[in-house]
Amino acid sequence: MTISVYLEGLPGAGKTSIMVTLAATLGEDCLAVPETNPTTADREALHDRPSQEATMWYLRRELRRDRLASRLTDARYPAVAVFDRSYLSVLAYCWATAATSGDRDRYRHALAVFDRDIRPHLTSAATIVLLTTPIATSLHRRRDKADREFEHQWYRGDFLDALAEFYRVEAPTLAVGPLHNLDTTGRPADQIHTALLPVLDPTGRRTAIPVEHLAAPLVPRLHGRHLCRPGLRRYYETHGGVQILGQPLGEPIKHHAGVCQFFERHAVLLDETGAIVPLDPAMTVDDLMETP
């Protein structure tokens, strides 16, 4: 049985870095499932559409990831599956946007869609781990990020206040399945993932994930110029770079579907021919479950 967890929380809480670090340190014992974000083509298609359509786009893909977690419940391996964000992130964004823009209909519509089309189909196959992070810490950890010049709202105090309010007030009523709060206040960023062990191994019997395997520093946040693999830097530059993919997180690692390069908002697969394709979590689990 695979234990699945969603990592939630403010930007800078460590969600993506923790997921990639666990994938790098646990190897085949961990499946990393990147957050759902549109490609360049999807962003262009959604750009001029009503905000309600974008919200539905995200929520439908979160439902697909929930089905992945449900399917993994009966899998013999990997030991754990770590998902970057969940459907709560979609709702949190709508809540914070409504709170800071005055467009209260933004959240009301998102909640109506969630209650009508998404919540009835969600399972309780995964535990949501809410990484509680002070806003000052969120800003401090992201002080040198390359997206500060264009992702302005994610650095605004009022927007972060609204996100924190959502996770404190709304998230407990909306989570389907277990919600585990992990307070990271005062904890060094490179030790947060070790505190996940009680969630990843609640019985203390899964020898596949001993705590010493988690005692590795978080993967570093790099820049595009650090991408050394043939074709990978070109792919990064021609597919939106930091604005679409985010910064690279560590070096490519051997993952279930092959060799993967993780970015802050996407992940790609690299094969022996040099081809580079976006990581598809559904395809990954099909490969896993067909393996004898």
Side-chain angles (χ1 to χ4, degrees), residues 95-156:
W95 169 282
T97 301
T100 55
S101 69
D103 181 12
R104 294 292 178 178
D105 287 338
R106 179 71 179 269
Y107 182 68
R108 281 194 288 265
H109 176 270
L111 187 59
V113 169
F114 177 74
D115 285 336
R116 184 187 68 235
D117 300 328
I118 306 300
R119 195 204 294 254
H121 305 289
L122 291 173
T123 68
S124 58
T127 295
I128 297 177
V129 179
L130 177 55
L131 303 173
T132 306
T133 308
I135 291 174
T137 301
S138 166
L139 291 169
H140 178 73
R141 289 178 181 168
R142 297 180 294 134
R143 64 192 181 280
D144 59 350
K145 281 194 62 178
D147 65 0
R148 291 184 66 97
E149 60 185 273
F150 50 84
E151 293 284 2
H152 303 297
Q153 67 181 352
W154 296 102
Y155 294 88
R156 283 187 1 229

Side-chain angles (χ1 to χ4, degrees), residues 7 12-25 131 141 187-194 196 214-222 249-251:
L7 299 182
K15 302 178 294 294
T16 312
S17 296
I18 289 170
M19 178 193 72
V20 179
T21 299
L22 292 176
T25 56
L131 303 173
R141 289 178 181 168
R187 189 184 297 271
D190 61 356
Q191 294 180 19
I192 297 173
H193 57 300
T194 64
L196 279 173
L214 302 182
L218 291 178
V219 293
R221 188 168 58 230
L222 306 176
L249 293 175
E251 300 292 335

Side-chain angles (χ1 to χ4, degrees), residues 23 27-28 30-33 253-260 262 279 284:
E28 297 297 299
C30 177
L31 174 66
V33 185
I253 63 172
K254 178 71 172 64
H255 202 46
H256 293 276
V259 176
C260 294
F262 287 92
L279 177 64
T284 301

Side-chain angles (χ1 to χ4, degrees), residues 201-245:
D201 188 12
T203 65
R205 298 174 183 173
R206 297 182 77 88
T207 56
I209 48 174
V211 68
E212 58 266 22
H213 284 192
L214 302 182
L218 291 178
V219 293
R221 188 168 58 230
L222 306 176
H223 293 275
R225 64 180 180 274
H226 296 131
L227 296 171
C228 300
R229 290 230 175 185
L232 188 54
R233 184 185 298 184
R234 182 176 181 181
Y235 178 95
Y236 184 73
E237 294 171 347
T238 58
H239 286 75
V242 68
Q243 288 188 272
I244 302 296
L245 304 177

Side-chain angles (χ1 to χ4, degrees), residues 54-72:
T55 299
M56 193 64 189
W57 187 93
Y58 280 100
L59 285 174
R60 283 175 174 164
R61 280 155 181 78
E62 289 304 328
L63 186 57
R64 181 171 177 253
R65 297 207 310 163
D66 177 80
R67 290 170 180 161
L68 167 58
S70 180
R71 292 170 64 192
L72 283 168

